[in-house]
Amino acid sequence: MESQATASTATPAQTRAIGAGIAPLLGAGDVVLLVGPLGAGKTTLVQGLVAALGGREPVTSPTFTLAHRYPTSPPVTHVDLWRLGHLQEVVDLALEEELDGGGVVIVEWGEAAEPLYGADALVVRLGWGRTDDERTIAVEARGASWISRAAGLSAVAGAGAGTPGEAAVGEG
Amino acid sequence: MRILAIETATIEVGVALADETGPLASVTARPGRRQAETLHPAIADACRIARITPAELDAIAVDIGPGLFTGLRVGVAAAKALAGGLGLPVVTAMSLEVLIAACPSGLGEVIPVVDMRRGEVAWLMPRSPASTVRVGTPAELAAELAELARESAAAAGNVGPVLLVGDGALRHRELLGASSAPAPVFGGIELAAPPVSSLAVLAIAAMTDGRFCDPAAVCPFYGREADARINWSSRQGRETVS
């Protein structure tokens, strides 16, 4: 089962809105893999997602702390694999315990975790658009648990600016 | 001989002090995520109850898994630090061995099953060395139980049920209970986690037999191996899409 939706955003606020649009689709035990180069908006998207789940603290990149946990509903564990070099180090993060405990795990540089979680996950690919501020975001649902939720993905795409090149809506 | 035993492999944090006569004091708790905050006060409490100071210890025992990563890291780190600081040897035991040791003998075949989370369990088949720990899905364990029952019936004609203990057995009781005939018997919730007093008694025996090691050599056994480097072709920094 695969299902995909794409969107384009013109501002960080729109990227956050995509994150907020993903939030209501998530439930206990879900993995979101974020794939995209430096500056593509991975952490920005997580900011919108965590805020939409009721997070009140600022979301920052966990590149050097490896993992942040937010007391949202469901609780979010936000990890960043950039500094890791071996798959065993990803295993050692013990994300199974977070997932089994009812949490959601959001993974930046998620391609590194594909061998472990790629079969049943929401994969969000972020890329650069034609202008400095434009980003393309493709959301792909993988695995049995996402079949019933795949219909919600088109709404996620609608949460951003819509079509590429569309005029930016204001920040904030 | 006095041993401090540390058990954090599963949902329980346990500390026991023991000598050749058996356990002298034990403290257990189920602190959720607060393993690190719970373990060290528990060690202090157990020492106080048993009136033993760390300087009077002869060895540290620790459960090295398989089990939960967070608990194992806390327990193994504490054991290594205490043993290193006090200049003591470490006795290691696997969670599955401790569960077996906690069962009275003569009950038949005991199969310990530890919950690894995310649909996996670790188990040890009867009369198997600890090195043959199996990690897989409950369905794979059920298939092995069915096979074991067939082999036993063929060899001996009439066999009793196996005894399944540990949090993994209890969690997947429905599936495992229907796996074989005669149906397995399940241990109670008091055997969900490896009892720390059983670890302490095992460790006294191991010390007597000279089975101990240097703290630097102690490693947790997580039961999940991923032997691959990450292919970081994507980590080349900023890319542009034309």
Side-chain angles (χ1 to χ4, degrees), chain A residues 12-108:
Chain A
Q14 290 177 355
T15 299
R16 278 194 286 275
I18 296 284
I22 290 170
L25 298 176
L26 299 176
D30 279 337
V31 176
V32 179
L33 302 178
L34 301 179
V35 180
L38 283 174
K42 299 185 292 297
T43 300
T44 304
L45 186 137
V46 178
Q47 286 169 348
L49 192 157
V50 167
L53 292 177
R56 289 168 186 274
E57 38 187 321
V59 171
T60 54
S61 167
T63 301
F64 291 99
T65 49
L66 290 180
H68 294 161
R69 189 186 286 130
Y70 298 99
T72 46
S73 179
V76 167
T77 301
H78 177 202
V79 301
D80 186 320
L81 307 183
W82 164 266
R83 293 173 61 227
L84 305 186
H86 197 282
L87 201 56
Q88 186 66 44
E89 295 175 294
V90 183
V91 174
D92 288 352
L93 292 173
L95 300 176
E96 276 73 15
E97 290 168 38
E98 306 296 335
L99 297 166
D100 205 71
V104 168
V105 171
I106 317 285
V107 187
E108 297 202 25

Side-chain angles (χ1 to χ4, degrees), chain B:
Chain B
M1 187 196 315
R2 287 159 167 169
I3 282 184
L4 169 70
I6 296 172
E7 166 59 58
T8 58
T10 64
I11 50 178
E12 197 161 277
V13 166
V15 174
L17 287 147
D19 66 12
E20 289 89 341
T21 66
L24 303 171
S26 67
V27 176
T28 62
R30 292 200 179 173
R33 294 181 189 279
R34 297 171 53 82
Q35 292 106 333
E37 295 91 329
T38 306
L39 175 62
H40 293 279
I43 292 172
D45 284 351
C47 287
R48 186 173 46 76
I49 294 164
R51 298 187 179 191
I52 289 174
T53 66
E56 296 174 291
L57 293 170
D58 296 295
I60 308 290
V62 65
D63 183 335
I64 55 166
L68 301 179
F69 282 64
T70 37
L72 285 172
R73 271 199 284 260
V74 168
V76 171
K80 290 168 77 100
L82 280 169
L86 295 166
L88 300 178
V90 175
V91 177
T92 62
M94 298 186 89
S95 54
L96 301 165
E97 298 176 277
V98 179
L99 281 166
I100 293 171
C103 297
S105 58
L107 285 183
E109 310 272 32
V110 176
I111 300 179
V113 187
V114 168
D115 184 8
M116 301 286 284
R117 306 295 165 91
R118 271 236 134 183
E120 283 197 315
V121 291
W123 68 92
L124 194 59
M125 293 306 275
R127 300 175 305 281
S128 304
S131 59
T132 61
V133 171
R134 303 269 293 112
V135 177
T137 64
E140 289 171 312
L141 169 56
E144 292 202 7
L145 293 176
E147 178 64 24
L148 178 71
R150 274 194 299 275
E151 284 175 10
S152 303
N158 198 5
V159 291
V162 296
L163 173 62
L164 302 181
V165 297
D167 58 355
L170 294 178
R171 180 168 185 173
H172 302 286
R173 185 175 191 142
E174 201 172 328
L175 174 70
L176 300 175
S179 65
S180 57
V185 173
F186 288 83
I189 51 174
E190 73 279 12
L191 284 176
V196 69
S197 51
S198 298
L199 169 63
V201 170
L202 270 184
I204 290 284
M207 278 299 286
T208 308
D209 295 348
R211 285 181 284 118
F212 51 81
C213 64
D214 186 89
V218 177
C219 262
F221 177 84
Y222 292 133
R224 279 203 175 91
E225 311 301 324
D227 189 19
R229 292 203 66 77
I230 296 171
N231 173 15
W232 270 128
S233 59
S234 57
R235 201 175 58 178
Q236 300 304 313
R238 179 169 167 152
E239 297 162 356
T240 51
V241 176
S242 58

